[in-house]
Amino acid sequence: MPADAPENSKYEPQNPEPNNTTGLEAGGSVTPGDTPPAETGVGGPNHEPPQRGRTGPIIAIGVISFIVLLIAIGLIARVVGLF
């Protein structure tokens, strides 16, 4: 055997040989009811990110609209001559 064979390596290979992996049938499939080997891929979060509330933006839009309305009323009153 060569010195760099997987059996002589001090590190396990990322994808082990199906013949040496327990729980696998011929061809790489798993038996019914058996848990397949763990995947080596990196997964993301398993939950949805928290939803933001809608009250903050609604209050901000309301306050800004109120200020714009007051300014518009003041300008119209000035043009008409009330002030």
Side-chain angles (χ1 to χ4, degrees):
M1 277 191 185
D4 59 347
E7 293 84 22
N8 296 334
S9 175
K10 62 181 179 178
Y11 300 107
E12 260 189 51
Q14 182 174 1
N15 297 317
E17 290 292 325
N19 298 337
N20 298 336
T21 305
T22 58
L24 292 181
E25 293 182 344
S29 63
V30 294
T31 57
D34 195 11
T35 304
E39 295 183 11
T40 59
V42 176
N46 294 331
H47 57 83
E48 291 286 325
Q51 299 295 322
R52 293 185 177 165
R54 297 177 75 184
T55 46
I58 290 175
I59 291 173
I61 290 172
V63 168
I64 291 172
S65 299
F66 182 72
I67 292 172
V68 168
L69 184 65
L70 284 178
I71 292 173
I73 290 173
L75 290 175
I76 291 172
R78 190 157 213 182
V79 168
V80 174
L82 296 176
F83 293 117

